[in-house]
Amino acid sequence: SQQGEEDPQALSIQEGENATMNCSYKTSINNLQWYRQNSGRGLVHLILIRSNEREKHSGRLRVTLDTSKKSSSLLITASRAADTASYFCATDPYNTDKLIFGTGTRLQVFP
Amino acid sequence: DADVTQTPRNRITKTGKRIMLECSQTKGHDRMYWYRQDPGLGLRLIYYSFDVKDINKGEISDGYSVSRQAQAKFSLSLESAIPNQTALYFCATSDLRGDIFSYNEQFFGPGTRLTVL
């Protein structure tokens, strides 16, 4: 399979704590994206980081990318119960015009 | 996202039946995709289309076919449904325009939950 690997598969934290999810991939990429999925719903794009970028912020989200290690992390700071969802990384490999999705991390944030 | 709609939202059918899932978009995007989601497996690409005359197989196209009737419409068919096609199906779109680093951000429909008995 060309899918990326995400860890952990599941994460449970209390409100106010930070949540970190990791993604590893296999091929050279144009960019890496993170998506969020509420239970049974469609995926929603959160943030995109280009292959020539190392870190990117958007509100409470911080994404890092290490192309030498073919890995990325998503940090959600000061988590809220509403952040409860599954989070997927997706890579946009060179010369494929397709996204490759990871298997996702299920985040549960307890009030 | 209301800009990408899927019908039906839920469908229960029997083995051997022909099923069509429809996707429409008002985003004006050229590229459309069909994915399947199974628990623990993430999303897998079934078919994708970069314009009306361009159809491409994805990772798991066997047992499926598609039709791109217009820029805004992309349908997925299961010619003879089988139980292991029970899954959540998503349509997505992306914009061909934009710089090389960002053009493949995808926008998803709400999904169709298909159960094959």
Side-chain angles (χ1 to χ4, degrees):
Chain A
S1 169
Q2 296 181 7
Q3 284 187 331
E5 298 288 332
E6 294 187 58
D7 79 273
Q9 289 187 327
L11 179 61
S12 295
I13 59 174
Q14 296 290 131
E15 263 190 330
E17 294 180 340
N18 295 340
T20 299
M21 290 158 260
N22 302 296
C23 171
S24 61
Y25 58 92
K26 298 178 181 178
T27 63
S28 297
I29 60 173
N30 291 317
N31 62 73
L32 184 144
Q33 304 172 35
W34 286 89
Y35 288 79
R36 168 190 167 128
Q37 182 183 33
N38 285 30
S39 181
R41 301 270 186 104
L43 279 70
V44 176
H45 183 266
L46 292 176
I47 192 167
L48 179 152
I49 186 165
R50 301 177 181 189
S51 60
N52 62 348
E53 297 175 318
R54 292 297 167 258
E55 186 170 316
K56 198 163 184 180
H57 296 254
S58 177
R60 293 184 296 112
L61 304 180
R62 172 178 168 254
V63 172
T64 62
L65 179 64
D66 186 335
T67 53
S68 66
K69 295 181 179 179
K70 291 187 170 56
S71 67
S72 174
S73 67
L74 172 68
L75 169 67
I76 303 174
T77 60
S79 63
R80 306 165 180 168
D83 294 328
T84 293
S86 291
Y87 293 82
F88 294 87
C89 70
T91 54
D92 184 1
Y94 286 154
N95 299 321
T96 66
D97 295 321
K98 297 176 287 185
L99 291 184
I100 307 297
F101 284 86
T103 51
T105 293
R106 294 187 309 279
L107 174 65
Q108 175 82 50
V109 182
F110 292 100
Chain B
D1 191 329
D3 297 325
V4 184
T5 57
Q6 293 183 234
T7 56
R9 294 294 311 280
N10 291 281
R11 182 72 182 268
I12 300 174
T13 191
K14 295 182 178 180
T15 297
K17 295 291 188 180
R18 184 178 187 273
I19 297 297
M20 179 179 285
L21 309 182
E22 298 187 345
C23 176
S24 295
Q25 53 114 346
T26 59
K27 300 188 77 69
H29 288 172
D30 292 312
R31 299 184 170 200
M32 298 186 74
Y33 309 80
W34 275 105
Y35 291 93
R36 165 180 174 156
Q37 185 177 34
D38 298 273
L41 292 180
L43 272 72
R44 292 183 291 169
L45 183 63
I46 306 172
Y47 271 95
Y48 59 105
S49 169
F50 289 168
D51 65 40
V52 174
K53 297 180 181 179
D54 179 79
I55 303 289
N56 304 281
K57 293 183 177 181
E59 182 185 351
I60 53 164
S61 59
D62 287 349
Y64 302 94
S65 63
V66 291
S67 173
R68 184 81 183 266
Q69 300 97 322
Q71 187 207 35
K73 296 184 181 296
F74 192 35
S75 300
L76 176 72
S77 293
L78 288 68
E79 296 301 326
S80 180
I82 56 177
N84 76 1
Q85 291 177 313
T86 292
L88 193 53
Y89 290 84
F90 289 103
C91 174
T93 73
S94 68
D95 192 353
L96 182 60
R97 295 175 290 278
D99 68 77
I100 190 171
F101 290 109
S102 63
Y103 75 86
N104 207 8
E105 174 186 340
Q106 295 188 7
F107 298 82
F108 283 79
T112 295
R113 187 170 296 279
L114 177 66
T115 303
V116 183
L117 302 175

